Amino acid sequence: MGIGKTLEPFVCGGSAASFASVVIHPIDLAKVRMQLYGQLNPGKPIPGFPTLLSGMVKNDGITSIYKGVDAAIGRQLVYGTARIGLHRTFSDKLVEMNDGKPIGFLTKTLSGMASGSIAVCIGTPFDIALVRLQSDSMAPESERRNYKNVFDALIRTTKEEGVGALYKGLGPNILRGMSMNVGMLACYDQAKEIVASLTGDPMTDGQPTLTTKIGSSCVAGFTAAAFSLPFDLIKSRLMAQKPDLETGKLPYKGIADCAIQIYKKEGVLGFFGGFSAYYGRCAPHAMIILLSIESITSFYRGKFT
């Protein structure tokens, strides 16, 4: 196998993930703010993402809804490249070990979990920077960090809080990455087989028709959101937390404490805060990745393999 073929799932996956993140960044920004709203404004109803976005445009201009987009691209170039590339690499190897026959959903799930957890360990620093850039303007002016860009966020976080601060929320982020990969990639692979059989798609050379891709990506968008939202919520709160100005203590001691406090203060539905924005992010993000990656892969193969 040549180097071009080996790099194919990583280059194509990272390109598709970065493109998708730029397109849906305003929705992702609203999602993070909705998740943090309950923490910063206890007892108040969480506004919908159209209200949040329109308020940002009105108060801070159109560029405000792309705050942190550089961190989002950086994150996908690292995290997106790794999680999609590793999953495809693992899956292809498992199919090869299975004498070329399709692998079962459990095997796809294990591949998604393994690739998702590895990718998260690599990409978490950029996730930290992204969450902080997106949530900073929600804090009182005296408490804002006022990062200039993703690199300023990474450098200042390291200097002011130590390298360990770049891995805050790593535990829930790994759980989120595993559940996201299973919900998006493993479920997409499974849904693709089911949809193809229902529509009579011959899957010539392994390439599904547009109908199969759209149907499968819709399923994958929903399962990715449903599986990963609670972990994404906990991750966002752990990453964005700051020490109390008077006591110096952080709001949450860890994953379990964060989950318990959310349950006590906001109830079970608190774990699904921002679901409309999160689903609105996951579904188009998954669809854009899964639809565009086929075209990117065809172009790549024509040029490099």
Side-chain angles (χ1 to χ4, degrees), residues 104 132 142 170 229 257 266:
R132 291 190 172 194
S142 60
L170 179 61
L229 179 54
D257 182 57
E266 303 169 50

Side-chain angles (χ1 to χ4, degrees), residues 140-220:
E141 286 193 31
S142 60
E143 298 179 22
R144 292 179 186 175
R145 295 182 172 101
N146 294 315
Y147 297 127
K148 297 176 183 176
N149 50 52
V150 59
F151 299 108
D152 183 47
L154 292 170
I155 292 169
R156 281 182 50 193
T157 299
T158 303
K159 286 183 177 179
E160 296 168 7
E161 304 171 49
V163 176
L166 295 177
Y167 287 89
K168 281 181 181 177
L170 179 61
N173 209 16
I174 289 176
L175 294 174
R176 182 226 184 234
M178 292 169 67
S179 59
M180 175 65 77
N181 247 26
V182 171
M184 178 179 163
L185 298 177
C187 288
Y188 174 75
D189 290 343
Q190 190 69 22
K192 187 165 59 175
E193 293 177 11
I194 295 173
V195 173
S197 66
L198 292 174
T199 59
D201 181 359
M203 296 273 286
T204 306
D205 296 325
Q207 296 296 314
T209 62
L210 181 60
T211 300
T212 299
K213 287 189 285 187
I214 291 176
S216 304
S217 57
C218 284
V219 172

